[in-house]
Amino acid sequence: MALIKNGQSAVDLWCTIADRETIPADGPVIISLKRWTEEKPWLKGRRAPLGIFLQADQPPAIIEDDLDRFEVVSLEFPTFRDGRAYSYARLLRERYCYTGEIRAVGDVLRDQLAFMQRCGINSFEIADNVPIDKWIKAIGEISVFYQPATDARQTALDKRRNA
């Protein structure tokens, strides 16, 4: 998988650890909510950066009290039709004031990148089968929006009112 972060190609320094894998003492890792819940005391004492992976049915309210522990929150997009992670990203930014990295993983499609970014997602794990420059270009292809979002851009209605 390739990574786009803040609109640019990036090296992924994070390692996603499966529930049965041993967590290394050093290095940034992303773990599941299940793993966090089961091993919280040990993980709180770990000195290396920590991220969490939330499945589509795991809202961020579950980790609200622990958000300051995570430098990355990975949100699952199991299919392009499942939009719960859009709402979760907005909740993380607007309600919980989360300022860390929010990463889209799973069924991430080029034509959805701009909307994901508007909801607060700032990194994307993408398939390797399309050149990364085409993915990055897709983020800026749409310039007029009808819905308000976390990025505070003017909506089409706002632009009409101000014209």
Side-chain angles (χ1 to χ4, degrees):
M1 291 288 193
L3 183 70
I4 296 174
K5 184 174 178 182
N6 299 322
Q8 299 180 3
S9 176
V11 175
D12 191 358
L13 303 175
W14 293 85
C15 181
T16 301
I17 305 294
D19 286 341
R20 293 191 176 125
E21 286 182 57
T22 302
I23 297 175
D26 296 329
V29 297
I30 298 172
I31 58 168
S32 69
L33 176 63
K34 177 181 185 245
R35 191 84 182 253
W36 171 250
T37 304
E38 291 173 355
E39 300 179 37
K40 191 185 290 191
W42 179 80
L43 289 165
K44 281 185 172 182
R46 189 173 180 271
R47 299 265 184 240
L50 190 62
I52 192 161
F53 171 75
L54 296 179
Q55 294 177 346
D57 62 347
Q58 297 172 328
I62 296 170
I63 58 167
E64 176 183 1
D65 295 334
D66 297 318
L67 268 174
D68 61 333
R69 304 251 179 216
F70 306 114
E71 293 184 30
V72 174
V73 176
S74 288
L75 299 176
E76 176 190 37
F77 285 83
T79 69
F80 76 92
R81 295 182 306 251
D82 190 332
R84 290 176 285 184
Y86 287 98
S87 299
Y88 296 166
R90 285 197 70 174
L91 286 169
L92 284 164
R93 295 288 188 219
E94 295 174 355
R95 181 176 296 166
Y96 305 122
C97 301
Y98 182 72
T99 58
E101 179 181 338
I102 300 177
R103 182 179 291 200
V105 299
D107 196 14
V108 177
L109 304 176
R110 277 183 58 227
D111 62 345
Q112 296 175 333
L113 291 184
F115 300 111
M116 289 178 178
Q117 187 178 46
R118 293 199 71 224
C119 290
I121 297 169
N122 61 337
S123 70
F124 313 90
E125 280 186 9
I126 58 167
D128 292 324
N129 59 350
V130 177
I132 199 162
D133 60 322
K134 292 188 183 226
W135 286 87
I136 292 169
K137 183 181 175 192
I139 294 171
E141 287 179 334
I142 301 170
S143 61
V144 177
F145 300 97
Y146 288 95
Q147 309 86 355
T150 62
D151 65 2
R153 287 191 198 178
Q154 281 191 326
T155 64
L157 181 61
D158 293 333
K159 288 181 179 188
R160 285 187 198 130
R161 284 184 189 147
N162 294 333

